[in-house]
Structure formats: structure tokens, C-alpha cells
mmCIF file of all heavy atoms in Angstrom:
data_model
loop_
_atom_site.group_PDB
_atom_site.id
_atom_site.type_symbol
_atom_site.label_atom_id
_atom_site.label_comp_id
_atom_site.label_asym_id
_atom_site.label_seq_id
_atom_site.Cartn_x
_atom_site.Cartn_y
_atom_site.Cartn_z
ATOM 1 N N GLU T 1 0.846 -1.202 0.024
ATOM 2 C CA GLU T 1 0.017 0.005 0.024
ATOM 3 C C GLU T 1 0.890 1.317 0.033
ATOM 4 O O GLU T 1 0.577 2.182 -0.751
ATOM 5 C CB GLU T 1 -0.953 0.014 1.201
ATOM 6 C CG GLU T 1 -2.095 -1.124 1.129
ATOM 7 C CD GLU T 1 -2.882 -1.026 2.411
ATOM 8 O OE1 GLU T 1 -2.498 -0.425 3.399
ATOM 9 O OE2 GLU T 1 -3.966 -1.729 2.317
ATOM 10 N N LEU T 2 1.878 1.194 0.819
ATOM 11 C CA LEU T 2 2.839 2.412 0.868
ATOM 12 C C LEU T 2 3.467 2.634 -0.438
ATOM 13 O O LEU T 2 3.640 3.753 -0.981
ATOM 14 C CB LEU T 2 3.829 2.271 1.893
ATOM 15 C CG LEU T 2 3.483 2.305 3.494
ATOM 16 C CD1 LEU T 2 4.417 1.739 4.381
ATOM 17 C CD2 LEU T 2 3.008 3.681 3.795
ATOM 18 N N VAL T 3 3.936 1.505 -1.016
ATOM 19 C CA VAL T 3 4.635 1.572 -2.374
ATOM 20 C C VAL T 3 3.665 2.011 -3.470
ATOM 21 O O VAL T 3 3.959 2.916 -4.326
ATOM 22 C CB VAL T 3 5.227 0.169 -2.744
ATOM 23 C CG1 VAL T 3 5.793 0.352 -4.125
ATOM 24 C CG2 VAL T 3 6.410 -0.060 -1.783
ATOM 25 N N ALA T 4 2.450 1.528 -3.380
ATOM 26 C CA ALA T 4 1.492 1.951 -4.422
ATOM 27 C C ALA T 4 1.100 3.388 -4.345
ATOM 28 O O ALA T 4 0.954 4.150 -5.444
ATOM 29 C CB ALA T 4 0.135 1.132 -4.180
ATOM 30 N N TRP T 5 0.902 3.924 -3.149
ATOM 31 C CA TRP T 5 0.587 5.362 -2.902
ATOM 32 C C TRP T 5 1.803 6.294 -3.447
ATOM 33 O O TRP T 5 1.604 7.181 -4.233
ATOM 34 C CB TRP T 5 0.173 5.619 -1.546
ATOM 35 C CG TRP T 5 -1.197 5.465 -1.268
ATOM 36 C CD1 TRP T 5 -1.753 4.327 -0.521
ATOM 37 C CD2 TRP T 5 -2.392 6.210 -1.621
ATOM 38 N NE1 TRP T 5 -3.170 4.434 -0.426
ATOM 39 C CE2 TRP T 5 -3.448 5.556 -1.060
ATOM 40 C CE3 TRP T 5 -2.442 7.336 -2.388
ATOM 41 C CZ2 TRP T 5 -4.737 6.100 -1.278
ATOM 42 C CZ3 TRP T 5 -3.715 7.911 -2.541
ATOM 43 C CH2 TRP T 5 -4.885 7.219 -2.087
ATOM 44 N N ALA T 6 2.960 5.971 -2.862
ATOM 45 C CA ALA T 6 4.128 6.822 -3.253
ATOM 46 C C ALA T 6 4.501 6.706 -4.722
ATOM 47 O O ALA T 6 4.727 7.676 -5.374
ATOM 48 C CB ALA T 6 5.276 6.280 -2.280
ATOM 49 N N GLY T 7 4.608 5.362 -5.223
ATOM 50 C CA GLY T 7 4.924 5.208 -6.643
ATOM 51 C C GLY T 7 3.858 5.813 -7.531
ATOM 52 O O GLY T 7 4.167 6.337 -8.514
ATOM 53 N N GLY T 8 2.549 5.562 -7.235
ATOM 54 C CA GLY T 8 1.485 6.158 -8.033
ATOM 55 C C GLY T 8 1.463 7.625 -8.174
ATOM 56 O O GLY T 8 1.408 8.230 -9.215
ATOM 57 N N LEU T 9 1.723 8.286 -6.932
ATOM 58 C CA LEU T 9 1.752 9.733 -7.046
ATOM 59 C C LEU T 9 3.037 10.213 -7.682
ATOM 60 O O LEU T 9 3.003 11.221 -8.371
ATOM 61 C CB LEU T 9 1.757 10.203 -5.477
ATOM 62 C CG LEU T 9 0.460 10.088 -4.826
ATOM 63 C CD1 LEU T 9 0.657 10.489 -3.268
ATOM 64 C CD2 LEU T 9 -0.656 10.925 -5.384
ATOM 65 N N ALA T 10 4.229 9.484 -7.574
ATOM 66 C CA ALA T 10 5.387 9.889 -8.329
ATOM 67 C C ALA T 10 5.252 9.883 -9.743
ATOM 68 O O ALA T 10 5.575 10.746 -10.477
ATOM 69 C CB ALA T 10 6.489 9.050 -7.854
ATOM 70 N N ILE T 11 4.474 8.781 -10.190
ATOM 71 C CA ILE T 11 4.231 8.729 -11.791
ATOM 72 C C ILE T 11 3.378 9.871 -12.102
ATOM 73 O O ILE T 11 3.599 10.498 -13.191
ATOM 74 C CB ILE T 11 3.665 7.311 -12.140
ATOM 75 C CG1 ILE T 11 4.678 6.232 -11.806
ATOM 76 C CG2 ILE T 11 3.144 7.323 -13.476
ATOM 77 C CD1 ILE T 11 4.158 4.878 -11.825
ATOM 78 N N LEU T 12 2.409 10.221 -11.363
ATOM 79 C CA LEU T 12 1.345 11.252 -11.876
ATOM 80 C C LEU T 12 2.022 12.596 -11.845
ATOM 81 O O LEU T 12 1.611 13.401 -12.630
ATOM 82 C CB LEU T 12 0.113 11.202 -10.822
ATOM 83 C CG LEU T 12 -0.771 10.033 -10.940
ATOM 84 C CD1 LEU T 12 -1.919 10.184 -9.766
ATOM 85 C CD2 LEU T 12 -1.486 9.978 -12.244
ATOM 86 N N VAL T 13 2.988 12.833 -10.949
ATOM 87 C CA VAL T 13 3.713 14.087 -10.921
ATOM 88 C C VAL T 13 4.838 14.062 -11.899
ATOM 89 O O VAL T 13 5.017 15.121 -12.652
ATOM 90 C CB VAL T 13 4.218 14.363 -9.543
ATOM 91 C CG1 VAL T 13 5.063 15.640 -9.480
ATOM 92 C CG2 VAL T 13 2.947 14.640 -8.538
ATOM 93 N N ALA T 14 5.683 13.095 -11.966
ATOM 94 C CA ALA T 14 7.000 13.128 -12.547
ATOM 95 C C ALA T 14 6.883 13.075 -14.133
ATOM 96 O O ALA T 14 7.679 13.702 -14.738
ATOM 97 C CB ALA T 14 7.936 12.011 -12.039
ATOM 98 N N VAL T 15 6.015 12.213 -14.538
ATOM 99 C CA VAL T 15 5.840 12.088 -15.996
ATOM 100 C C VAL T 15 5.388 13.541 -16.715
ATOM 101 O O VAL T 15 6.091 13.889 -17.599
ATOM 102 C CB VAL T 15 4.838 10.974 -16.448
ATOM 103 C CG1 VAL T 15 4.614 11.005 -17.982
ATOM 104 C CG2 VAL T 15 5.477 9.629 -15.976
ATOM 105 N N PRO T 16 4.313 14.134 -16.158
ATOM 106 C CA PRO T 16 4.079 15.453 -16.745
ATOM 107 C C PRO T 16 5.149 16.471 -16.528
ATOM 108 O O PRO T 16 5.296 17.254 -17.521
ATOM 109 C CB PRO T 16 2.727 15.829 -15.911
ATOM 110 C CG PRO T 16 2.189 14.564 -15.436
ATOM 111 C CD PRO T 16 3.355 13.699 -15.165
ATOM 112 N N VAL T 17 5.891 16.430 -15.430
ATOM 113 C CA VAL T 17 6.972 17.381 -15.249
ATOM 114 C C VAL T 17 8.078 17.116 -16.346
ATOM 115 O O VAL T 17 8.588 18.039 -16.876
ATOM 116 C CB VAL T 17 7.530 17.328 -13.829
ATOM 117 C CG1 VAL T 17 8.857 18.104 -13.766
ATOM 118 C CG2 VAL T 17 6.640 17.929 -12.857
ATOM 119 N N GLY T 18 8.342 15.817 -16.559
ATOM 120 C CA GLY T 18 9.355 15.456 -17.561
ATOM 121 C C GLY T 18 8.937 16.016 -18.928
ATOM 122 O O GLY T 18 9.704 16.404 -19.741
ATOM 123 N N VAL T 19 7.599 15.796 -19.238
ATOM 124 C CA VAL T 19 7.111 16.218 -20.533
ATOM 125 C C VAL T 19 7.247 17.811 -20.712
ATOM 126 O O VAL T 19 7.680 18.225 -21.793
ATOM 127 C CB VAL T 19 5.662 15.909 -20.759
ATOM 128 C CG1 VAL T 19 5.104 16.518 -21.935
ATOM 129 C CG2 VAL T 19 5.514 14.280 -20.811
ATOM 130 N N VAL T 20 6.990 18.538 -19.553
ATOM 131 C CA VAL T 20 6.994 20.055 -19.704
ATOM 132 C C VAL T 20 8.452 20.376 -19.834
ATOM 133 O O VAL T 20 8.707 21.322 -20.657
ATOM 134 C CB VAL T 20 6.399 20.564 -18.429
ATOM 135 C CG1 VAL T 20 6.624 21.986 -18.398
ATOM 136 C CG2 VAL T 20 4.864 20.389 -18.332
ATOM 137 N N LEU T 21 9.310 19.731 -19.061
ATOM 138 C CA LEU T 21 10.746 20.168 -19.300
ATOM 139 C C LEU T 21 11.399 19.950 -20.539
ATOM 140 O O LEU T 21 12.380 20.479 -20.971
ATOM 141 C CB LEU T 21 11.607 19.454 -18.120
ATOM 142 C CG LEU T 21 11.306 19.906 -16.722
ATOM 143 C CD1 LEU T 21 12.163 19.076 -15.666
ATOM 144 C CD2 LEU T 21 11.514 21.371 -16.441
ATOM 145 N N SER T 22 10.772 18.974 -21.210
ATOM 146 C CA SER T 22 11.284 18.616 -22.577
ATOM 147 C C SER T 22 10.816 19.437 -23.744
ATOM 148 O O SER T 22 11.385 19.428 -24.838
ATOM 149 C CB SER T 22 10.940 17.132 -22.977
ATOM 150 O OG SER T 22 9.479 17.040 -23.219
ATOM 151 N N ARG T 23 9.912 20.355 -23.496
ATOM 152 C CA ARG T 23 9.330 21.375 -24.335
ATOM 153 C C ARG T 23 10.350 22.324 -24.731
ATOM 154 O O ARG T 23 11.140 22.846 -23.645
ATOM 155 C CB ARG T 23 8.023 22.011 -23.995
ATOM 156 C CG ARG T 23 6.843 20.999 -23.621
ATOM 157 C CD ARG T 23 6.505 20.111 -24.890
ATOM 158 N NE ARG T 23 7.294 18.904 -24.943
ATOM 159 C CZ ARG T 23 7.343 18.114 -25.989
ATOM 160 N NH1 ARG T 23 6.692 18.417 -26.994
ATOM 161 N NH2 ARG T 23 8.094 16.874 -25.813
ATOM 162 N N PRO T 24 10.515 22.880 -25.959
ATOM 163 C CA PRO T 24 11.457 23.850 -26.266
ATOM 164 C C PRO T 24 11.526 25.162 -25.359
ATOM 165 O O PRO T 24 12.676 25.673 -25.055
ATOM 166 C CB PRO T 24 11.177 24.274 -27.732
ATOM 167 C CG PRO T 24 10.527 23.090 -28.201
ATOM 168 C CD PRO T 24 9.774 22.497 -27.055
ATOM 169 N N ALA T 25 10.348 25.521 -24.923
ATOM 170 C CA ALA T 25 10.298 26.694 -24.079
ATOM 171 C C ALA T 25 10.972 26.525 -22.752
ATOM 172 O O ALA T 25 11.299 27.593 -22.124
ATOM 173 C CB ALA T 25 8.784 27.237 -23.952
ATOM 174 N N PHE T 26 11.015 25.277 -22.214
ATOM 175 C CA PHE T 26 11.463 25.109 -20.808
ATOM 176 C C PHE T 26 12.897 24.507 -20.810
ATOM 177 O O PHE T 26 13.391 24.208 -19.836
ATOM 178 C CB PHE T 26 10.433 24.278 -19.999
ATOM 179 C CG PHE T 26 9.223 24.938 -19.881
ATOM 180 C CD1 PHE T 26 8.108 24.817 -20.819
ATOM 181 C CD2 PHE T 26 8.983 25.782 -18.764
ATOM 182 C CE1 PHE T 26 6.886 25.379 -20.564
ATOM 183 C CE2 PHE T 26 7.661 26.255 -18.569
ATOM 184 C CZ PHE T 26 6.682 26.186 -19.510
ATOM 185 N N ARG T 27 13.429 24.133 -22.031
ATOM 186 C CA ARG T 27 14.783 23.248 -21.987
ATOM 187 C C ARG T 27 15.908 24.164 -21.385
ATOM 188 O O ARG T 27 16.756 23.520 -20.854
ATOM 189 C CB ARG T 27 14.986 22.957 -23.382
ATOM 190 C CG ARG T 27 14.221 21.792 -23.893
ATOM 191 C CD ARG T 27 14.538 21.539 -25.454
ATOM 192 N NE ARG T 27 13.581 20.555 -25.923
ATOM 193 C CZ ARG T 27 13.435 20.100 -27.216
ATOM 194 N NH1 ARG T 27 14.326 20.718 -28.155
ATOM 195 N NH2 ARG T 27 12.647 19.295 -27.549
ATOM 196 N N LEU T 28 15.804 25.455 -21.422
ATOM 197 C CA LEU T 28 16.862 26.359 -20.870
ATOM 198 C C LEU T 28 16.940 26.107 -19.310
ATOM 199 O O LEU T 28 18.060 26.189 -18.820
ATOM 200 C CB LEU T 28 16.586 27.785 -21.197
ATOM 201 C CG LEU T 28 17.713 28.842 -20.803
ATOM 202 C CD1 LEU T 28 18.961 28.470 -21.344
ATOM 203 C CD2 LEU T 28 17.262 30.268 -21.106
ATOM 204 N N PHE T 29 15.731 25.895 -18.708
ATOM 205 C CA PHE T 29 15.720 25.869 -17.315
ATOM 206 C C PHE T 29 15.584 24.367 -16.789
ATOM 207 O O PHE T 29 15.536 24.050 -15.567
ATOM 208 C CB PHE T 29 14.418 26.536 -16.826
ATOM 209 C CG PHE T 29 14.244 27.885 -17.300
ATOM 210 C CD1 PHE T 29 13.396 28.120 -18.374
ATOM 211 C CD2 PHE T 29 15.127 28.899 -16.831
ATOM 212 C CE1 PHE T 29 13.126 29.411 -18.833
ATOM 213 C CE2 PHE T 29 14.888 30.298 -17.366
ATOM 214 C CZ PHE T 29 14.043 30.477 -18.379
ATOM 215 N N SER T 30 15.629 23.339 -17.750
ATOM 216 C CA SER T 30 15.432 22.005 -17.325
ATOM 217 C C SER T 30 16.348 21.452 -16.349
ATOM 218 O O SER T 30 15.962 20.761 -15.414
ATOM 219 C CB SER T 30 15.437 21.038 -18.625
ATOM 220 O OG SER T 30 16.644 21.149 -19.250
ATOM 221 N N GLU T 31 17.727 21.678 -16.589
ATOM 222 C CA GLU T 31 18.672 21.099 -15.639
ATOM 223 C C GLU T 31 18.533 21.757 -14.269
ATOM 224 O O GLU T 31 18.794 21.029 -13.240
ATOM 225 C CB GLU T 31 20.110 21.345 -16.105
ATOM 226 C CG GLU T 31 20.435 20.388 -17.293
ATOM 227 C CD GLU T 31 20.291 18.910 -16.891
ATOM 228 O OE1 GLU T 31 20.806 18.548 -15.750
ATOM 229 O OE2 GLU T 31 19.937 17.985 -17.698
ATOM 230 N N ALA T 32 18.198 23.064 -14.211
ATOM 231 C CA ALA T 32 18.107 23.717 -12.931
ATOM 232 C C ALA T 32 16.933 23.117 -12.056
ATOM 233 O O ALA T 32 17.025 22.708 -10.946
ATOM 234 C CB ALA T 32 17.865 25.193 -13.146
ATOM 235 N N VAL T 33 15.906 22.800 -12.784
ATOM 236 C CA VAL T 33 14.612 22.187 -12.163
ATOM 237 C C VAL T 33 14.981 20.751 -11.851
ATOM 238 O O VAL T 33 14.487 20.239 -10.776
ATOM 239 C CB VAL T 33 13.430 22.249 -13.162
ATOM 240 C CG1 VAL T 33 12.295 21.602 -12.515
ATOM 241 C CG2 VAL T 33 13.105 23.649 -13.501
ATOM 242 N N MET T 34 15.705 20.117 -12.755
ATOM 243 C CA MET T 34 16.097 18.672 -12.372
ATOM 244 C C MET T 34 16.888 18.562 -11.065
ATOM 245 O O MET T 34 16.742 17.620 -10.334
ATOM 246 C CB MET T 34 16.930 18.061 -13.605
ATOM 247 C CG MET T 34 16.811 16.632 -13.716
ATOM 248 S SD MET T 34 15.217 16.172 -14.543
ATOM 249 C CE MET T 34 15.579 16.642 -16.243
ATOM 250 N N GLN T 35 17.696 19.547 -10.778
ATOM 251 C CA GLN T 35 18.476 19.487 -9.522
ATOM 252 C C GLN T 35 17.557 19.634 -8.395
ATOM 253 O O GLN T 35 17.887 19.064 -7.226
ATOM 254 C CB GLN T 35 19.482 20.656 -9.572
ATOM 255 C CG GLN T 35 20.644 20.532 -10.538
ATOM 256 C CD GLN T 35 21.199 19.179 -10.443
ATOM 257 O OE1 GLN T 35 21.655 18.688 -9.282
ATOM 258 N NE2 GLN T 35 21.496 18.482 -11.603
ATOM 259 N N VAL T 36 16.437 20.273 -8.403
ATOM 260 C CA VAL T 36 15.431 20.319 -7.309
ATOM 261 C C VAL T 36 15.012 18.785 -6.992
ATOM 262 O O VAL T 36 14.956 18.397 -5.871
ATOM 263 C CB VAL T 36 14.349 21.233 -7.675
ATOM 264 C CG1 VAL T 36 13.213 21.130 -6.545
ATOM 265 C CG2 VAL T 36 14.731 22.571 -7.869
ATOM 266 N N PHE T 37 14.644 18.166 -8.098
ATOM 267 C CA PHE T 37 14.187 16.705 -7.931
ATOM 268 C C PHE T 37 15.315 15.855 -7.368
ATOM 269 O O PHE T 37 15.108 14.813 -6.793
ATOM 270 C CB PHE T 37 13.665 16.193 -9.175
ATOM 271 C CG PHE T 37 12.349 16.834 -9.599
ATOM 272 C CD1 PHE T 37 12.271 17.786 -10.433
ATOM 273 C CD2 PHE T 37 11.135 16.318 -8.948
ATOM 274 C CE1 PHE T 37 11.101 18.381 -10.814
ATOM 275 C CE2 PHE T 37 9.895 16.995 -9.283
ATOM 276 C CZ PHE T 37 9.906 17.973 -10.144
ATOM 277 N N ASN T 38 16.593 16.350 -7.727
ATOM 278 C CA ASN T 38 17.824 15.461 -7.389
ATOM 279 C C ASN T 38 17.955 15.468 -5.854
ATOM 280 O O ASN T 38 18.648 14.534 -5.458
ATOM 281 C CB ASN T 38 19.036 15.953 -8.148
ATOM 282 C CG ASN T 38 20.101 15.052 -8.056
ATOM 283 O OD1 ASN T 38 20.035 13.915 -8.051
ATOM 284 N ND2 ASN T 38 21.329 15.712 -7.864
#
């Protein structure tokens, strides 16, 4: 249950964030934002 909640929420958040960061308008800031998740 813990893994399902944490993993499911991570997928719901991380995939859209990765998509947004890959867009040309956000690529300049992508590495800086990635360090926050790091």
C-alpha cells in the first residue's frame, strides 16, 4: 500500500513534469529544475 501510494503519486507528478521540461520553451531551465528533484 505504501509503495502503491508513493509510486503512483510519483508517476502522476514526474511524467508530466518531464514532458513539460522537454518542451523547447522550458529546456533552458530543465537542468536547474532537475536539480530540485535530485
Side-chain angles (χ1 to χ4, degrees):
E1 288 176 352
L2 291 167
V3 171
W5 275 106
L9 291 173
I11 293 170
L12 289 176
V13 172
V15 172
V17 169
V19 171
V20 170
L21 293 178
S22 69
R23 301 303 88 191
F26 294 93
R27 286 177 187 172
L28 183 62
F29 312 101
S30 60
E31 283 303 322
V33 175
M34 208 78 72
Q35 292 308 311
V36 176
F37 291 99
N38 193 36

